[in-house]
Amino acid sequence: MNKQNIRIWGREFQMDVQFDCYTGEEVLESQREAAAALAASESVIEAALEQVKAYCLSLHREEIGADKIENIFKYVAPKYLYVPRTEGKHVIAIMCNYKFDQEHGIAVVFEDERFARIGKQEMIL
């Protein structure tokens, strides 16, 4: 596992990077590129913040007790980067703990340095 410095929603993190590989397989160049490209795409990560807030509010507005989220880190904690084994495009997810679903957490998925989707972690694992 590698570590990477990355800025997520205004905070600096040193995140573990987990590459999807079986024992004996090499990490693909596209996987390495995906990790490097996301770290260099701070504006894309920042723009995804509104999607993350909307996701949290759509599922747990009552528990949050408000119509907007001021501090996303009260509910979502980035834990590591996950890079699935794909060729031909960059796919990477910020895997997060989620206050309201600690068993499944959430994954914020990016494809080719653009926000793609958000959901439970199993959607990308």
Side-chain angles (χ1 to χ4, degrees), residues 7-112:
R7 188 170 182 81
I8 301 173
W9 309 321
R11 289 192 185 170
E12 294 291 331
F13 291 88
Q14 185 176 44
M15 307 283 287
D16 287 329
V17 181
Q18 183 178 353
F19 295 100
D20 181 22
C21 283
Y22 290 111
T23 303
E25 284 184 325
E26 295 288 325
V27 173
L28 299 173
E29 187 60 29
S30 62
Q31 289 176 290
R32 292 184 202 285
E33 291 170 358
L38 184 67
S41 302
E42 185 178 329
S43 63
V44 172
I45 297 169
E46 190 63 31
L49 175 58
E50 291 309 312
Q51 300 293 330
V52 175
K53 287 179 178 181
Y55 177 85
C56 294
L57 287 169
S58 72
L59 296 175
H60 297 100
R61 186 177 306 272
E62 274 189 39
E63 293 93 331
I64 292 169
D67 289 333
K68 70 178 195 173
I69 296 174
E70 297 295 330
N71 180 2
I72 193 63
F73 297 108
K74 286 175 67 175
Y75 311 106
V76 177
K79 287 299 168 194
Y80 66 98
L81 303 175
Y82 177 74
V83 188
R85 194 166 185 85
T86 57
E87 293 188 61
K89 66 180 175 178
H90 297 160
V91 179
I92 187 167
I94 301 172
M95 306 298 270
C96 305
N97 288 346
Y98 183 44
K99 180 178 181 175
F100 302 110
D101 189 353
Q102 296 192 16
E103 182 179 340
H104 300 104
I106 61 173
V108 184
V109 181
F110 299 86
E111 292 181 7
D112 292 328

